[in-house]
């Protein structure tokens, strides 16, 4: 049996979790509201907030798990990718804790942690994917189609060549002055709109790769032309615009994924990452699975965005392999 303390601080959420083997005991997340007024994450403010949050968040995670600090067997931490200043806070805390209690360190890749979040168990009845399976990883900074043959044998079938899906959604929200973070706002407004009201061209990228920079630009030019004729165009069509751009992005994401799954012959599919909280993406993936008889795995909302539970499960599988990190390892941004 292993008790894993996990630390996540890659962007603007400070999180700590405790796992007993693959079973979650606690998962505490402190979000940062300070970035809302700037329309995006300010790295310097994020790192300062992490410094303020890290100790109380870890204390809460250990307390909620019903254990003491000395019970911890290993400390897992997000080494990267992410914001360097934010990562430094979590990495430094993990190193200090490990040294203080003479416990081993486990470095975790943030993207791999998102994918492995499907293996977090909340009870004995929890169902996890069987290998091989295909996972669509979609977040603010990354978009990838991955084939998992084991926890650590992961093949990239396709990925974005420029911007990520989450960036495109956030940019659309910013252009329409909807607020930050844009993803949940667009998702909420889209539920009230007509997804077929407007049509945006889908990028033509060979293979299973993605590109979202052109879609962002075409959306900007479309709105510019409409606003030139009607200054109230966005306000009058806000819900329809949200529904239409969201449908365009989701269709683009799943169209590539569907072809990739068919080519590799997998029978199980999954999504992960912050954008996997999007309601249209979740329902459309379910429908795609039903059409083809594929088993679908969708993470609970608390495991979609950045959280330490996913770091803990990745750390647990590394713990079983005896893969421990040297205390001299620095964080990496990319």
């Amino acid at each position: 049996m292993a008790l894993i303390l996990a630390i996540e601080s890659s962007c603007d959420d400070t999180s700590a979790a405790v796992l007993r083997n693959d079973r979650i005991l606690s998962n505490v997340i402190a979000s940062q509201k300070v970035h809302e007024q700037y329309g995006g994450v300010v790295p310097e403010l994020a790192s300062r907030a992490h410094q303020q949050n890290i100790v109380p968040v870890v204390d809460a995670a250990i307390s909620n798990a019903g254990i003491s600090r000395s019970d911890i067997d290993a400390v897992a931490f997000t080494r990267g990718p992410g914001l360097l200043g934010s990562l430094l806070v979590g990495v430094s805390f993990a190193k200090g804790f490990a040294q203080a209690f003479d416990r081993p360190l486990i470095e975790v890749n943030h993207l791999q942690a998102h994918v492995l979040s499907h293996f977090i168990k909340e009870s004995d009845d929890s169902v996890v994917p069987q290998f091989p399976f295909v996972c669509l990883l979609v977040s603010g900074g990354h978009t990838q189609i991955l084939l998992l043959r084991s926890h650590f044998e992961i093949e990239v079938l396709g990925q974005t060549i420029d911007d990520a899906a989450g960036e495109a959604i956030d940019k659309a929200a910013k252009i329409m002055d909807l607020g930050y973070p844009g993803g949940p706002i667009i998702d909420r407004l889209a539920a009230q709109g007509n997804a077929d009201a407007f049509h945006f061209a889908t990028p033509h990228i060979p293979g299973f790769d993605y590109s979202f920079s052109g879609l962002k630009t075409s959306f900007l030019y479309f709105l510019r032309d409409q606003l030139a004729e009607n200054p109230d165009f966005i306000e009058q069509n806000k819900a329809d615009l949200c529904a239409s751009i969201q449908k365009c992005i989701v269709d683009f994401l799943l169209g590539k994924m569907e072809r990739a799954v068919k080519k590799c012959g997998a029978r199980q599919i999954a999504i992960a990452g912050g954008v996997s909280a999007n309601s249209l993406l979740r329902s459309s993936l379910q429908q795609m699975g039903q059409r083809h008889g594929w088993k679908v795995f969708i993470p609970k909302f608390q495991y979609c965005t950045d959280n330490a539970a996913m770091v803990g499960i990745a750390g647990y599988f590394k713990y079983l392999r005896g893969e421990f990190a040297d205390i001299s390892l620095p964080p990496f941004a990319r």
Side-chain angles (χ1 to χ4, degrees):
M1 184 183 74
L3 279 172
I4 308 293
L5 171 65
I7 308 293
E8 157 61 24
S9 68
S10 63
C11 191
D12 61 335
D13 288 322
T14 311
S15 183
V18 176
L19 281 77
R20 177 180 286 116
N21 296 339
D22 54 0
R23 178 74 67 85
I24 183 75
L25 299 183
S26 65
N27 188 36
V28 178
I29 303 173
S31 299
Q32 302 174 5
K33 299 294 185 182
V34 66
H35 307 286
E36 292 179 2
Q37 59 185 306
Y38 301 100
V41 177
V42 181
E44 176 62 24
L45 296 180
S47 59
R48 291 181 186 179
H50 283 302
Q51 291 174 355
Q52 296 170 349
N53 293 335
I54 188 72
V55 172
V57 165
V58 171
D59 281 345
I62 292 175
S63 176
N64 293 350
I67 63 170
S68 65
R69 296 179 182 86
S70 59
D71 293 329
I72 299 297
D73 294 305
V75 183
F77 65 93
T78 300
R79 186 183 172 203
L83 300 176
L84 194 56
S86 295
L87 288 166
L88 276 168
V89 176
V91 171
S92 299
F93 184 92
K95 289 180 178 181
F97 190 102
Q99 277 197 312
F101 292 92
D102 192 25
R103 297 295 188 268
L105 282 166
I106 304 171
E107 64 160 315
V108 171
N109 182 290
H110 180 77
L111 303 182
Q112 190 176 58
H114 269 303
V115 177
L116 295 182
S117 65
H118 287 284
F119 294 91
I120 299 170
K121 290 184 178 178
E122 296 182 339
S123 69
D124 293 335
D125 298 327
S126 298
V127 180
V128 300
Q130 300 297 309
F131 300 109
F133 70 94
V134 172
C135 183
L136 175 65
L137 173 61
V138 274
S139 68
H142 304 88
T143 302
Q144 296 178 320
I145 304 175
L146 306 169
L147 172 62
L148 281 82
R149 296 187 176 90
S150 72
H151 296 113
F152 298 101
E153 188 181 0
I154 304 175
E155 179 184 351
V156 178
L157 301 178
Q159 60 187 335
T160 181
I161 61 175
D162 44 52
D163 300 327
E167 287 177 294
I169 294 172
D170 284 340
K171 184 65 173 181
K174 192 168 186 177
I175 292 171
M176 293 187 285
D177 197 25
L178 299 181
Y180 176 86
I185 299 173
I186 282 187
D187 196 14
R188 184 177 68 251
L189 289 173
Q192 309 165 24
N194 175 13
D196 296 317
F198 305 103
H199 297 277
F200 304 103
T202 301
H204 295 284
I205 307 298
F208 303 132
D209 287 336
Y210 295 101
S211 171
F212 293 93
S213 60
L215 181 59
K216 291 195 308 183
T217 302
S218 65
F219 184 67
L220 175 62
Y221 287 163
F222 170 79
L223 290 181
R224 183 196 62 182
D225 294 341
Q226 297 300 321
L227 289 171
E229 299 181 7
N230 177 11
D232 297 321
F233 178 79
I234 292 178
E235 188 61 35
Q236 294 171 355
N237 299 275
K238 191 179 296 182
D240 288 347
L241 285 167
C242 289
S244 298
I245 192 66
Q246 178 176 260
K247 181 178 185 296
C248 178
I249 292 174
V250 169
D251 287 350
F252 184 36
L253 286 169
L254 294 186
K256 293 265 188 177
M257 182 187 186
E258 185 175 29
R259 296 198 299 274
V261 175
K262 288 180 179 179
K263 183 174 181 179
C264 68
R267 303 298 301 172
Q268 299 193 28
I269 58 175
I271 51 175
V275 183
S276 66
N278 180 273
S279 61
L280 181 62
L281 180 59
R282 295 166 80 91
S283 62
S284 298
L285 188 79
Q286 289 279 20
Q287 293 167 11
M288 186 172 77
Q290 290 172 2
R291 286 198 308 270
H292 299 289
W294 298 336
K295 192 167 185 177
V296 177
F297 291 88
I298 298 176
K300 290 188 175 182
F301 286 108
Q302 62 263 38
Y303 304 134
C304 291
T305 54
D306 295 345
N307 67 93
M310 67 183 193
V311 178
I313 193 65
Y316 168 65
F317 291 128
K318 282 196 165 188
Y319 181 89
L320 294 178
R321 293 156 60 103
E323 293 186 13
F324 302 120
D326 188 89
I327 199 165
S328 65
L329 281 181
F332 64 90
R334 301 182 68 85

